[in-house]
Amino acid sequence: MAIKNRSTISDVARLASVSVATVSRYLNGTAFVNEDTAKRVDKAVRALDYHPNKMARALKMERSNMVMMVVPDIANPYYAQQYKVVQDIAEENGLTLLLYDTNGLMERELEALRIAQENRCDGLIWQTMYRSSGMDERIAALTIPCVTPYVKDQPEDHDLCIYNMTKYLISLGHKHITYVGGLSGTWINEQRRRAFVKAMDEAGLAYDDDELFEMDFTVAAGMKAGRFIASLKDRPTAVCAANDQIAVGLVLALKECGLSVPDDISVTGMDDIEIARLMSPSLTSVRNDPAPMAGYMIRSLLMRIRGEEGGLVPEPNSTGEVIERESTRRI
């Protein structure tokens, strides 16, 4: 079977009986093209199913009209919701959005920087889980605009959401509380762990480091943590999870082990993703709407691509509002 050759701009020009330059002006909108000519060019483009070669255009114009978004785990509904917001705003501004999932691995985060530059992306939204001087240097060395939601030298060294959730559990009378975190060594988990410790210390409550379970931010990790907690002789009365996915895994595993949530153990999450409302028991969580930060990141990137420095202030952090549901109880 013969393969149909891809139509070229010259083919469009011949069919429309105009010059290649006229077709280029019409497609790029760089100069006026009268209505009759525009109709002929448009008809030819449709008849030939012509699609401009974006990579060739990028080489010529030093612009690709592509931006990349790097996320730790697109299976996490929090990042999936962010991606939708970023994609909609990017498309409204004539940009194609590329997605790169790092699976929470530092080496893949660094690889993403290389890929973004090699593909001549106009900009990068980089949601890193790791913080170090080396990472900051890599970002500074980029030749394309880059936006990350994790700013250097944050005024708070702990996560407000987990801090408020731990205080909420304490207000319900819980004294034996444990924390189930995400990937150890990531700056996100470090902030959330500090928040738990800070709230416990302020209340004068002890916690056992040997009970703190840190693996990653997935349902599977939550299930492993749940089985571990269920095996303890002196089980905590409440568990504060670093996100809703972990909390879902915890509830599933505790049920599997014959324990009741919240009668035997209260469980809380963070982010308030859709499953938090739909599961049984419904999950007490902290509202952490991904949309405002997503909008902030893509709009900031657009400004930097256009050379418009400043003008946007960082989106405020989550207010840390606790949404009380069925997975917690007062003791």
Side-chain angles (χ1 to χ4, degrees), residues 40-176:
R40 295 207 315 272
V41 172
D42 185 64
K43 185 177 179 180
V45 167
R46 293 175 183 274
L48 294 170
D49 192 26
Y50 172 69
H51 300 283
N53 187 322
K54 289 187 177 182
M55 291 306 296
R57 183 181 294 180
L59 290 170
K60 184 175 181 181
M61 302 178 66
E62 297 186 352
R63 283 286 303 276
S64 66
N65 289 327
M66 295 189 298
V67 293
M68 179 182 281
M69 182 174 183
V70 179
V71 299
D73 180 14
I74 195 60
N76 184 328
Y78 180 84
Y79 294 112
Q81 289 177 52
Q82 281 200 336
Y83 177 79
K84 287 184 178 181
V85 173
V86 171
Q87 178 176 258
D88 287 346
I89 296 174
E91 287 183 350
E92 287 170 5
N93 287 271
L95 297 173
T96 298
L97 181 63
L98 306 180
L99 174 69
Y100 190 92
D101 188 329
T102 68
N103 290 327
L105 300 175
M106 182 185 293
E107 57 266 32
R108 289 189 62 125
E109 286 194 358
L110 296 175
E111 178 71 359
L113 301 183
R114 181 189 67 78
I115 291 173
Q117 294 218 129
E118 284 189 357
N119 283 276
R120 306 179 70 87
C121 290
D122 295 336
L124 175 68
I125 293 175
W126 196 49
Q127 303 223 66
T128 177
M129 292 182 69
Y130 300 90
R131 291 304 309 274
S132 68
S133 58
M135 284 290 194
D136 291 337
E137 289 170 5
R138 291 290 188 101
I139 295 176
L142 286 173
T143 58
I144 60 175
C146 177
V147 169
T148 174
Y150 312 124
V151 296
K152 194 175 181 180
D153 300 325
Q154 295 193 21
E156 297 289 347
D157 66 351
H158 66 275
D159 186 283
L160 179 63
C161 295
I162 295 298
Y163 176 74
N164 284 356
M165 184 58 83
T166 307
K167 290 183 68 174
Y168 165 76
L169 287 171
I170 294 168
S171 75
L172 294 181
H174 293 279
K175 293 181 171 57
H176 187 178

